[in-house]
Amino acid sequence: MADENTPLIAVVQTRPHRDRYPHHTLRYFCTLILSAVLCFGIAAVVLVFAFVPLDDSKEAAHYQSAYLPWAAYDVPKAWPKSAGVDYKELQELLLDTPDAKKAREWSSYYTSGPHLAGKNLSQAIWTKEKWQGFGVENTLIVDYDIYVNYPKGHRLALLEKNSSSKGEVEGADAGNSSAWKIKYEASLEEDVLKEDGTSGLKDRIPTFHGYSASGNVTAPYVYVNYGTYKDFEELVAANVSLSGKIALIKYGGVFRGLKVKRAQELGMVGAVIYTDPGDDGDVTEYNGNKTYPAGPAREPSSVQRGSCQFLSFAPGDPTTPGYPSKPGVPRQPVDHAIPSIPSIPISYQDALPLLKALNGHGPKASSFNKYWEGGGLRHEGVKYNIGPSPDDLALNLVNEQEYVTTPMWNVIGIINGSIPDEVVVLGNHRDAWIAGGAGDPNSGSAAFNEVIRGFGRALEAGWKPLRTIVFASWDGEEYGLLGSTEWVEEYVPWLQASTIAYLNVDVGTNGPNFRASAAPLLNKALQDTVSLVQSPNQTVSNQTVGDVWDGHISTMGSGSDFTAFQDFAGIPSLDIGFGFGGKSAVYHYHSNYDSFDWMERYGDPGFHYHATIAQVWGLLAAKLIESPIIQFNATDYALGLIRYVDSVKQKAEDAGFLDSHVFDSIDQATARFQIAAQAQDAVAAALEQELEDNDIPWWKWWERVKLYYAIRQANTKYKYLERSFLYEKGLDDRPWFKHIVFAPGKWTGYAGATFPGLVEAIEERDEGKARKWVGIITGLLAKASEHLE
């Protein structure tokens, strides 16, 4: 009888079970064994072909997987060592190759004629051909269409009102030439010196400002010290009339474009910027030094050219913020990035009559804070009064500029490495404001050629780099980091996926003092490298660059080609070079006298520092290229973050702003990051020790695979760590800058700021913005910790 447990389908046995074939069980096990043997055989064939190419040709190597350890080199047994040339031999080549005489030869070429941005194609072609001659066959020229200005004319005249004319300098009277006579006409020229070969070239570049506005204004003028944000705030607080006036500004303190920007915002109608010898340290004419060329003091007619772009708001082509300036791309308005009032640079020789004319008018500079003191022209009769200028005086400022969209040319050389997604980029810019540029940038260009020549010799000896190397000679740096910024904006997906570091040398040398700024990840690699290079200053036998260096590493700001890499793409960067000090010969920055003759006489006689910076640069690159473990140190980053947080807390305390508990979440996130960073460095150190201790034979392939992928994992964590600090929306009011830890100071330009979003909120006393940035910083620190963990 059926019930609820009865199956719905009944199975009826019709016959007993029998196997389909005789010896069924035996056949089953034989099939399993034969299948295993076949699979093992196929795997063995694959491994043999992966380990040992059929021949040494590039075609054979091409078919090897790029992601297997034995494919890391054309010679499969080489990993983790170099192929053709081992690391020690590579170091010796990079130390022995740089030659002072060769550096002098390259410097002589680069400084022999004008090479303003967008007007140096012949130098780009020459550089490309030289690099190819050195062995970097894969070298090409990459061009962009950039919006820039070139000078057409200028004038600066101090006007005095005729005695028959009365009234203030304004309205129609200001433009009435019959009401005025010329009291002083500025030369706006640098003197031609027979001892300086390029100072008198017929095609020498006039004095002008990059990205300055055209205009013709006549107005009273005011001395505004360095024209910093604080300087202008103090003038406003002292009720000094600024609106409708021309600013007379000293160079120094902040980037020149920000001086003009702040003057413009306060209603001023023009800017005149000069270099005061009071900022030249002890090496001045007043202190008994002769002026160049007879001595090391500043030549009185020297003029600092330069860009007035708002560099800390948006570098690169101002018409294409955030994307590359290729033909046919949409162009944006430029008001956010460049001034709308005219500006010109002048010498202190031309500034003297203007400063003297202010004597007795307005408050003295000494009535303000200590940063207003130190003017170096008091012995010339200047009392450094603020003004405004008296009613019977005015300045006529004329600035004529031609704005065009024109090609600029980067030279890019590539040595392909064996690991395709780990890349080291080295860069220096080639353009200069003058015919010379022996210090800025061509001391770096000359050294760069020697670095590349060293790597070329290694290639000739059979060397195959572990990581890919990219060499970049940038155009348009002087106007606003144009060539490097546009290149990074174009290739940012590839750069962020592949690049581990960018190593920049702008000024290779203009003095004897080693200087460096770097992302903390690179600190240790730099410190290790400088101890390997002999210093030209041998006061003690075998003295290294590290021995005479003060060890200070600045935070990353802006003002050179590392900016787009560090602040936009999140690639750890570094800038190094030898600079002048308070007792060195005065460096004529962006002047005709930054010349080959000045360099040979005062900057680097014998060109020994040129060769030395090439050695440091090459060895540092080799350390990052060839070490199986990327030579980063995350703990240095953690310690840096702790210092940066303490600095922000101190700013808040000094400002009497924000409760200290607001920073608790950042403190906790930083502590967690430090633990993760120390663990990451410990793992990397253990892997490095394992590599050193264990010489794994090729046939123990499973150990090589295991070690290779452990190293890949550690390297990937290092490679992407800096990217963890990018905030996609960018900083407030300047979204191009994505890095939350480093950016140029909003109102400094050159100098670096740490945790800039939070610092600016504190300076503006905006609690809502401050709390927003505390949240952003805490979140990205947690993200970075998770990445390392």
Side-chain angles (χ1 to χ4, degrees):
M1 189 87 182
D3 61 22
E4 63 271 17
N5 296 316
T6 303
L8 294 177
I9 299 176
V11 177
V12 178
Q13 185 81 22
T14 59
R15 65 175 176 81
H17 169 78
R18 66 175 185 271
D19 291 327
R20 184 176 179 184
Y21 304 105
H23 313 295
H24 175 83
T25 302
L26 177 62
R27 291 170 66 95
Y28 174 76
F29 282 106
C30 286
T31 300
L32 287 179
I33 293 170
L34 289 173
S35 298
V37 169
L38 180 61
C39 290
F40 182 83
I42 293 172
V45 170
V46 170
L47 289 174
V48 167
F49 276 93
F51 269 113
V52 185
L54 296 177
D55 54 65
D56 293 329
S57 67
K58 293 181 181 178
E59 289 77 10
H62 173 76
Y63 288 102
Q64 298 180 68
S65 169
Y67 300 98
L68 297 174
W70 46 83
Y73 294 99
D74 289 337
V75 180
K77 295 182 180 180
W79 190 85
K81 299 178 181 179
S82 296
V85 172
D86 66 26
Y87 183 45
K88 184 176 181 181
E89 291 170 331
L90 178 63
Q91 286 182 312
E92 290 172 354
L93 279 171
L94 296 174
L95 277 172
D96 294 343
T97 299
D99 179 77
K101 290 181 180 179
K102 279 288 186 183
R104 183 184 184 279
E105 178 184 339
W106 311 138
S107 176
S108 178
Y109 167 76
Y110 279 116
T111 61
S112 60
H115 44 293
L116 193 59
K119 294 182 179 288
N120 56 25
L121 179 57
S122 63
Q123 281 199 352
I125 294 170
W126 183 91
T127 300
K128 173 191 171 186
E129 291 173 349
K130 280 294 173 188
W131 292 5
Q132 288 173 329
F134 296 152
V136 185
E137 296 177 4
N138 189 9
T139 300
L140 65 157
I141 294 176
V142 179
D143 63 293
Y144 297 93
D145 284 356
I146 307 286
Y147 179 74
V148 289
N149 65 304
Y150 296 114
K152 293 180 65 178
H154 53 10
R155 183 201 190 200
L156 184 68
L158 180 61
L159 305 180
E160 185 174 35
K161 202 163 196 180
N162 287 323
S163 57
S164 60
S165 301
K166 296 180 180 180
E168 293 188 359
V169 183
E170 62 181 2
D173 193 39
N176 183 0
S177 60
S178 64
W180 299 91
K181 63 182 179 181
I182 297 174
K183 183 178 177 69
Y184 176 73
E185 181 89 34
S187 70
L188 305 182
E189 283 276 354
E190 295 178 288
D191 292 347
V192 175
L193 308 175
K194 65 179 181 180
E195 299 90 344
D196 193 306
T198 56
S199 67
L201 291 176
K202 289 183 179 180
D203 58 350
R204 63 187 182 274
I205 299 168
T207 58
F208 80 109
H209 278 150
Y211 288 125
S212 59
S214 294
N216 183 341
V217 294
T218 302
Y221 63 100
V222 178
Y223 172 69
V224 299
N225 197 31
Y226 293 107
T228 66
Y229 194 92
K230 186 173 179 59
D231 288 340
F232 279 114
E233 290 297 288
E234 293 189 354
L235 290 170
V236 170
N239 294 317
V240 174
S241 175
L242 299 176
S243 181
K245 310 297 191 296
I246 294 172
L248 178 58
I249 315 173
K250 286 196 298 186
Y251 271 117
V254 300
F255 184 70
R256 70 187 72 76
L258 300 177
K259 301 170 189 277
V260 181
K261 177 178 170 63
R262 190 59 183 149
Q264 174 182 304
E265 290 176 349
L266 294 172
M268 304 190 82
V269 296
V272 178
I273 313 181
Y274 81 98
T275 302
D276 194 296
D279 294 318
D280 287 338
D282 297 329
V283 186
T284 63
E285 190 177 14
Y286 177 72
N287 289 333
N289 296 282
K290 292 183 179 181
T291 60
Y292 177 75
R298 181 177 300 279
E299 211 287 331
S301 70
S302 68
V303 178
Q304 181 192 136
R305 298 156 183 80
S307 175
C308 280
Q309 187 190 58
F310 305 155
L311 189 64
S312 56
F313 287 78
D317 186 329
T319 67
T320 61
Y323 58 94
S325 294
K326 287 295 188 180
V329 300
R331 301 280 171 167
Q332 307 299 323
V334 298
D335 295 347
H336 70 285
I338 63 177
S340 59
I341 63 173
S343 67
I344 60 172
I346 64 172
S347 65
Y348 80 73
Q349 183 173 270
D350 273 341
L352 265 172
L354 312 185
L355 291 164
K356 286 182 179 180
L358 291 176
N359 286 351
H361 299 282
K364 286 189 174 181
S366 57
S367 66
F368 293 94
N369 66 47
K370 64 180 181 179
Y371 298 107
W372 287 74
E373 300 172 4
L377 294 171
R378 297 182 186 279
H379 67 289
E380 297 281 2
V382 176
K383 296 181 180 179
Y384 290 98
N385 284 88
I386 303 303
S389 55
D391 293 344
D392 61 343
L393 293 179
L395 271 183
N396 176 227
L397 167 59
V398 179
N399 188 46
E400 298 179 13
Q401 300 294 321
E402 178 186 19
Y403 273 87
V404 297
T405 299
T406 187
M408 291 191 184
W409 305 279
N410 296 334
V411 182
I412 305 295
I414 303 168
I415 303 176
N416 286 311
S418 300
I419 300 178
D421 61 347
E422 292 180 3
V423 178
V424 177
V425 183
L426 284 70
N428 158 265
H429 75 94
R430 190 180 62 258
D431 64 298
W433 291 114
I434 61 274
D440 180 13
N442 298 130
S443 59
S445 306
F448 204 10
N449 280 355
E450 288 301 275
V451 171
I452 296 170
R453 196 165 66 87
F455 281 119
R457 289 183 62 197
L459 289 173
E460 188 178 9
W463 175 60
K464 171 74 172 180
L466 177 62
R467 298 182 176 93
T468 292
I469 316 169
V470 175
F471 304 115
S473 174
W474 309 115
D475 196 3
E477 188 272 354
E478 294 292 6
Y479 276 88
L481 322 179
L482 303 179
S484 57
T485 298
E486 301 310 311
W487 190 78
V488 170
E489 287 174 345
E490 181 174 12
Y491 294 105
V492 68
W494 171 73
L495 288 167
Q496 288 187 326
S498 304
T499 306
I500 65 170
Y502 173 68
L503 309 180
N504 191 67
V505 171
D506 191 327
V507 178
T509 178
N510 56 28
N513 303 322
F514 185 73
R515 293 176 179 171
S517 58
L521 284 172
L522 289 162
N523 286 358
K524 188 175 184 302
L526 175 62
Q527 291 160 348
D528 291 345
T529 301
V530 293
S531 65
L532 302 175
V533 180
Q534 294 288 294
S535 170
N537 177 15
Q538 287 291 310
T539 54
V540 177
S541 179
N542 293 322
Q543 193 165 249
T544 68
V545 172
D547 292 331
V548 297
W549 176 38
D550 63 9
H552 177 69
I553 301 175
S554 302
T555 56
M556 302 302 287
S558 186
S560 195
D561 290 303
F562 56 78
T563 304
F565 288 89
Q566 181 73 44
D567 298 334
F568 182 77
I571 293 165
S573 301
L574 167 150
D575 185 64
I576 55 175
F578 288 95
F580 63 94
K583 299 185 183 300
S584 307
V586 169
Y587 175 57
H588 296 77
Y589 180 54
H590 290 178
S591 157
N592 273 347
Y593 310 127
D594 180 11
S595 62
F596 182 83
D597 291 308
W598 178 87
M599 182 63 72
E600 191 162 49
R601 187 173 302 186
Y602 294 108
D604 185 16
F607 288 79
H608 301 297
Y609 282 94
H610 283 69
T612 303
I613 193 62
Q615 291 173 321
V616 174
W617 199 2
L619 286 180
L620 178 60
K623 189 176 186 68
L624 295 173
I625 293 160
E626 284 299 281
S627 300
I629 304 289
I630 296 175
Q631 294 298 290
F632 285 172
N633 190 282
T635 303
D636 282 345
Y637 213 136
L639 296 175
L641 290 174
I642 292 170
R643 291 195 303 271
Y644 308 153
V645 172
D646 289 343
S647 175
V648 174
K649 288 180 183 177
Q650 189 62 52
K651 286 180 184 295
E653 184 179 334
D654 293 344
F657 180 69
L658 291 179
D659 185 278
S660 61
H661 293 298
V662 170
F663 299 101
D664 288 350
S665 62
I666 293 181
D667 288 335
Q668 294 167 5
T670 307
R672 178 186 172 189
F673 180 81
Q674 183 177 13
I675 293 170
Q678 289 171 336
Q680 164 69 8
D681 290 340
V683 168
L687 289 170
E688 198 162 36
Q689 190 63 49
E690 186 176 352
L691 275 174
E692 185 176 333
D693 293 344
N694 297 332
D695 185 12
I696 303 172
W698 70 267
W699 50 269
K700 287 190 175 181
W701 57 269
W702 59 91
E703 291 188 13
R704 299 183 83 195
V705 170
K706 181 180 177 182
L707 182 56
Y708 177 79
Y709 282 107
I711 290 172
R712 285 279 295 181
Q713 184 179 34
N715 283 347
T716 298
K717 289 182 178 182
Y718 276 139
K719 182 173 72 171
Y720 291 122
L721 177 57
E722 197 80 55
R723 261 76 103 195
S724 300
F725 296 109
L726 294 181
Y727 178 56
E728 183 58 35
K729 294 182 180 179
L731 300 180
D732 298 320
D733 303 322
R734 43 187 185 144
W736 187 90
F737 290 93
K738 309 292 186 186
H739 207 294
I740 60 130
V741 180
F742 302 114
K746 188 174 183 179
W747 286 103
T748 61
Y750 286 130
T754 52
F755 293 123
L758 181 53
V759 167
E760 288 159 22
I762 292 170
E763 291 173 346
E764 296 166 12
R765 303 186 69 83
D766 187 329
E767 184 171 349
K769 184 185 288 187
R771 290 184 180 276
K772 180 190 83 169
W773 278 103
V774 166
I776 292 169
I777 291 167
T778 301
L780 290 181
L781 282 170
K783 175 185 172 184
S785 299
E786 290 170 4
H787 170 70
L788 291 179
E789 292 166 350

